[in-house]
């Protein structure tokens, strides 16, 4: 199933921001909720006959003063049919492209217009459209005029995999970007461009980053896999995919507290329904603002 709508837009301070739903993905519900028992998680997101839950692959475009910035870019279309079946990836767009292309077109943008691509991390469902295959079969940067930003540690981690981590990292999504000299690697917390800040949020991967956007006193957090869906707001609801789940726990404790106390708009990358919301404290955890 392809989650709808394709694009949701709103104002954040001076900037227009657009959440583009770059397709659907269906992953094992148990893996998505780690140690949380099925009787609890299936009340939040019901599984299909293969025990998979429906997810989205949401990306964010910021109409920044320097030009359009894209945060994450979905799974792309370089993988084969078996891969798409296993992970339930449904993201084919019109005109032979992907849903991301459709979404960009619907807000009046082409790939050539993007000036900056930010990768929260390099897993295939987040960085799959860093590159694309051209008509000759060659793999090329998908955004030819853009610089790309990722944490330097994440690039190292993605290129030095082990038996547990290799299934999530496909070199053709990021090695050609490095070889073309298009990556601007960052280390730790820093402002990438005015109002767009890399916030290290380790746990899912050791160098995973969330992106904090601030304009005219309004703030939004592209939280990525620190809380992939709104069902992951309770502190202990942590994915089995995370390589350091207890680090995720402490990162969530710290970041969700700031998000709630300072009224940040949280953008949920993998939620099939909810693009964004502010959050409030509830007992020992958090929930969406009513
Ligand atoms: Zn991931």
């Amino acid at each position: 199933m392809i989650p709808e709508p394709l694009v949701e837009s709103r104002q954040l301070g001076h900037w227009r921001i657009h959440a583009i739903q770059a397709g659907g993905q269906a992953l094992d519900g148990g893996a998505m909720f780690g140690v949380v028992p099925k009787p609890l998680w299936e009340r939040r997101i019901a599984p299909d006959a293969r025990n998979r839950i429906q997810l989205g692959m949401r990306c964010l475009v910021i109409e920044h003063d320097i030009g359009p910035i894209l945060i994450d870019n979905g799974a792309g279309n370089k993988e084969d049919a078996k891969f798409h079946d296993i992970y339930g990836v449904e993201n084919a767009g019109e005109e032979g492209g992907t849903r991301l292309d459709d979404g960009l077109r619907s807000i009046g943008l082409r790939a050539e217009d993007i000036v900056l691509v930010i990768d929260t991390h390099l897993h295939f469902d987040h960085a799959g459209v860093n590159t694309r295959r051209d008509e000759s079969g060659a793999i090329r940067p998908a955004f030819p005029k853009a610089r790309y930003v990722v944490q330097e540690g994440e690039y190292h981690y993605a290129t030095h995999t082990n038996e547990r981590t290799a299934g999530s990292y496909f070199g053709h999504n990021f090695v050609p970007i490095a070889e073309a000299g298009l990556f601007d690697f960052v280390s730790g917390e820093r402002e990438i461009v005015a109002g767009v800040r890399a916030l290290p949020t380790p746990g899912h991967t050791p160098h995973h980053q969330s992106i904090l956007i601030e304009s005219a006193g309004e703030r939004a957090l592209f939280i990525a896999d620190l809380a992939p869906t709104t069902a992951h707001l309770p502190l202990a609801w942590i994915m089995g995919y995370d390589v350091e789940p207890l680090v995720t726990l402490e990162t969530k404790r710290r970041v969700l507290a700031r998000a709630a106390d300072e009224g940040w708009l949280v953008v949920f990358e993998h939620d099939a329904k909810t693009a964004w919301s502010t959050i409030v404290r509830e007992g020992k955890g958090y929930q969406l603002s009513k």
Side-chain angles (χ1 to χ4, degrees):
M1 193 190 87
I2 297 182
E4 298 281 354
L6 177 62
V7 179
E8 290 169 77
S9 305
R10 59 169 287 156
Q11 200 71 18
L12 186 85
H14 298 308
W15 300 324
R16 198 90 189 134
I17 60 173
H18 309 272
I20 300 179
Q21 187 61 279
Q25 185 184 22
L27 295 179
D28 184 86
M32 280 303 292
F33 290 107
V35 299
V36 178
K38 184 173 178 182
L40 296 182
W41 64 252
E42 71 179 353
R43 278 191 247 146
R44 305 290 293 271
I45 308 182
D48 68 11
R50 292 160 76 179
N51 206 47
R52 303 181 308 180
I53 59 170
Q54 183 62 52
L55 301 165
M57 292 186 288
R58 199 172 274 106
C59 315
L60 193 74
V61 172
I62 309 164
E63 291 190 31
H64 193 279
D65 307 348
I66 66 162
I69 297 174
L70 175 66
I71 305 176
D72 280 358
N73 47 59
N77 58 6
K78 297 192 298 297
E79 317 310 329
D80 62 16
K82 184 181 170 200
F83 169 90
H84 279 243
D85 178 58
I86 291 172
Y87 295 102
V89 171
E90 294 178 271
N91 65 348
E94 297 161 7
E95 301 176 19
T98 66
R99 295 277 291 176
L100 178 60
D101 298 312
D102 295 355
L104 290 173
R105 196 180 316 113
S106 81
I107 57 172
L109 295 175
R110 302 158 305 156
E112 300 76 46
D113 297 322
I114 302 296
V115 297
L116 185 64
V117 175
I118 301 173
D119 293 319
T120 60
H121 61 305
L122 296 170
H123 282 168
F124 65 76
D125 52 330
H126 297 254
V129 190
N130 275 354
T131 60
R132 64 177 87 219
R133 223 183 281 282
D134 69 16
E135 296 87 64
S136 72
I139 293 188
R140 302 200 181 283
F143 303 97
K145 300 197 175 144
R147 301 294 302 176
Y148 289 68
V149 170
V150 73
Q151 289 282 324
E152 185 165 21
E154 173 68 12
Y155 186 83
H156 186 269
Y157 193 74
T159 49
H160 295 76
T161 55
N162 58 36
E163 293 81 354
R164 167 77 199 282
T165 62
S168 301
Y169 288 115
F170 304 153
H172 64 190
N173 288 333
F174 43 82
V175 173
I177 302 298
E179 287 177 346
L182 296 178
F183 268 128
D184 292 324
F185 293 114
V186 295
S187 294
E189 179 170 347
R190 60 162 280 183
E191 191 166 61
I192 301 168
V193 294
V196 179
R197 179 170 287 273
L199 212 61
T201 45
H204 179 64
T205 70
H207 300 276
H208 180 276
Q209 63 182 354
S210 301
I211 307 301
L212 182 60
I213 306 150
E214 179 170 10
S215 177
E218 291 189 65
R219 288 182 181 175
L221 181 69
F222 191 86
I223 199 167
D225 278 347
L226 181 62
T229 77
T230 58
H232 290 83
L233 286 175
L235 292 179
W237 291 46
I238 292 169
M239 288 190 279
Y241 297 110
D242 289 17
V243 297
E244 297 173 325
L246 296 181
V247 175
T248 302
L249 176 65
E250 296 312 317
T251 303
K252 279 176 84 174
R253 196 191 307 282
R254 176 168 53 83
V255 171
L256 294 183
R258 281 189 73 192
D261 294 347
E262 299 177 20
W264 298 354
L265 184 75
V266 180
V267 184
F268 296 97
E269 183 161 11
H270 287 302
D271 201 288
K273 294 176 184 149
T274 303
W276 42 42
S277 176
T278 53
I279 64 172
V280 292
R281 290 174 190 273
E282 183 215 26
K284 291 180 179 166
Y286 299 86
Q287 66 173 20
L288 300 180
S289 302
K290 293 264 161 49

